[in-house]
Amino acid sequence: MHCPFCRHPDSRVVDSRTSDDGASIRRRRQCPSCNRRFTTVETTSLSVVKRSGATEPFSRDKITGGVRKACQGRPVSEDDLALLAQKVEETLRSSGSAEIDAYEIGLAILGPLRELDEVAYLRFASVYQAFDSLEDFEAAITVLRAERAERAAARGDEPAAATHVDD
Ligand SMILES: [Zn+2]
């Protein structure tokens, strides 16, 4: 890339640093012509295609903002929200595509949100999947219950097993 000061077409990398979350690399560069230094930041590009067809850069803040609303009054901390947004971004980046449909972001949120808080999950899912009847809620709750029972069975802590007494 061109030197921003003198437009020299070449530069030398003097330092490279990966950001804490591993999503970007900062490079300190020096221009061999004017010797001035500048910084470039390299990220894999990730854009969101909105329903209107417009695109905007992916933003973790938008994820936490949307999920925070669903978590009102629930025992969910800002750290939980930040971690969830990070998981969502990792999921989306692992798909390898540079453009993500807004709908896919909602899908990527549902999984980690369900693990975080089931009530917040139901609130979020009801908006995102446009629940319009009690039956929609019932169906979602049935799935949650079945999964909870499965997890309990996998851990081996079914009430029947716990209260079993040897004779
Ligand atoms: Zn220069």
Side-chain angles (χ1 to χ4, degrees):
M1 84 177 269
H2 291 236
C3 166
F5 306 105
C6 72
R7 310 295 299 164
H8 186 79
D10 203 10
S11 62
R12 191 168 63 87
V13 176
V14 291
D15 186 38
S16 284
R17 225 165 269 185
T18 306
S19 66
D20 288 342
D21 61 6
S24 65
I25 295 177
R26 296 172 68 84
R27 294 191 204 280
R28 197 76 186 130
R29 295 172 181 271
Q30 186 164 31
C31 172
S33 170
C34 70
N35 281 326
R36 289 165 93 169
R37 291 188 170 194
F38 56 99
T39 303
T40 55
V41 178
E42 213 173 278
T43 59
T44 52
S45 95
L46 192 60
S47 327
V48 179
V49 184
K50 298 200 286 187
R51 230 171 302 177
S52 63
T55 60
E56 62 181 21
F58 173 83
S59 148
R60 279 195 200 182
D61 288 347
K62 288 218 164 148
I63 304 287
T64 46
V67 174
R68 188 181 289 118
K69 269 186 237 159
C71 292
Q72 267 174 20
R74 301 299 303 164
V76 174
S77 69
E78 282 299 310
D79 283 352
D80 292 333
L81 290 177
L83 195 63
L84 181 140
Q86 187 186 329
K87 276 189 200 167
V88 169
E89 180 171 355
E90 281 165 9
T91 303
L92 297 174
R93 286 192 184 278
S94 70
S95 76
S97 53
E99 289 201 332
I100 304 285
D101 209 82
Y103 187 81
E104 292 174 57
I105 295 183
L107 268 185
I109 289 172
L110 286 176
L113 183 55
R114 187 167 55 194
E115 280 168 33
L116 191 58
D117 189 275
E118 289 176 342
V119 171
Y121 162 79
L122 279 175
R123 287 178 184 158
F124 186 86
S126 70
V127 174
Y128 165 70
Q129 295 175 323
F131 287 9
D132 60 2
S133 67
L134 277 181
E135 285 73 23
D136 288 338
F137 278 95
E138 273 172 1
I141 290 168
T142 302
V143 171
L144 282 179
R145 285 226 173 92
E147 283 174 357
R148 194 189 276 178
E150 244 171 58
R151 278 201 301 275
R155 281 198 307 266
D157 61 3
E158 287 166 285
T163 56
H164 178 78
V165 178
D166 268 336
D167 50 20

